Amino acid sequence: MPVEVCPPRRGFVHPASPADIVRVLTFFGPAATYGLRRIELRQRPGAGLPGFGSPVAELRAPGLVRVFEQPAPPWVLAGVLTPASRERLERAGALIAAGPDVTRVEWPDRTLHDFVLFDGLMHEIGHHAIQHAANKPRPVMRTADHERRADLYAAYTRAAWTAATA
């Protein structure tokens, strides 16, 4: 599986390396990679430090997944996170300190690395698998259902990886 790398901008990092991506995709095998053409480590769309609504990764059908650079930790974000964003980051292992005007997000150990691999890459692989199984280049179900299924796929792969590598 080819992994192309565009260097991150100053103040940003690619928390997961091409070798990390290949290792995870190899572990999950053809069920995860069938029909996948390429993975790209890319600069985040837009400029500057975003709020948390920015993408971690995206599926560019057919068969292309882009994984975006992330701000170097700690993240200092303007305002307060939504409850859903806070829950997502905490579930991934982030430590969050919210003030009235800014939110500080710390990523201990390899939590940002794993967040990018599973909540980013494997979430998008979940979208790819759904579309590929239906033999359709576009989403085959309502957006909310597609997101829910991709989230379940990411959670399943995280749990399987953790169990196998613990």
Side-chain angles (χ1 to χ4, degrees), residues 21-156:
I21 290 168
V22 169
R23 192 171 20 261
V24 166
L25 292 176
T26 300
F27 176 81
F28 290 105
T33 60
Y34 187 74
L36 202 57
R37 293 181 300 126
R38 184 172 74 242
I39 306 290
E40 295 178 351
L41 295 177
R42 301 279 302 243
Q43 293 180 354
R44 176 187 298 276
L49 260 178
F52 181 65
S54 299
V56 178
E58 70 179 1
L59 174 65
R60 299 295 292 211
L64 168 61
V65 175
R66 292 181 176 156
V67 179
F68 297 112
E69 66 187 3
Q70 298 300 309
W75 295 356
V76 179
L77 307 173
V80 178
L81 296 173
T82 65
S85 293
R86 184 180 183 109
E87 179 185 334
R88 182 179 182 206
L89 294 177
E90 287 177 335
R91 190 174 54 241
L95 303 175
I96 300 171
D101 298 322
V102 297
T103 300
R104 183 178 174 93
V105 180
E106 303 262 356
W107 292 98
D109 303 319
R110 294 176 58 86
T111 53
L112 181 56
H113 168 269
D114 292 349
F115 176 70
V116 168
L117 281 178
F118 295 100
D119 294 81
L121 174 67
M122 295 311 287
H123 175 93
E124 297 306 323
I125 297 291
H127 285 302
H128 169 76
I130 293 165
Q131 291 172 213
H132 204 275
N135 199 24
K136 304 281 184 190
R138 303 249 186 264
V140 294
M141 58 185 72
R142 293 180 322 174
T143 300
D145 294 334
H146 219 284
E147 287 301 319
R148 200 169 13 266
R149 296 263 311 267
D151 282 344
L152 288 171
Y153 185 87
Y156 163 78

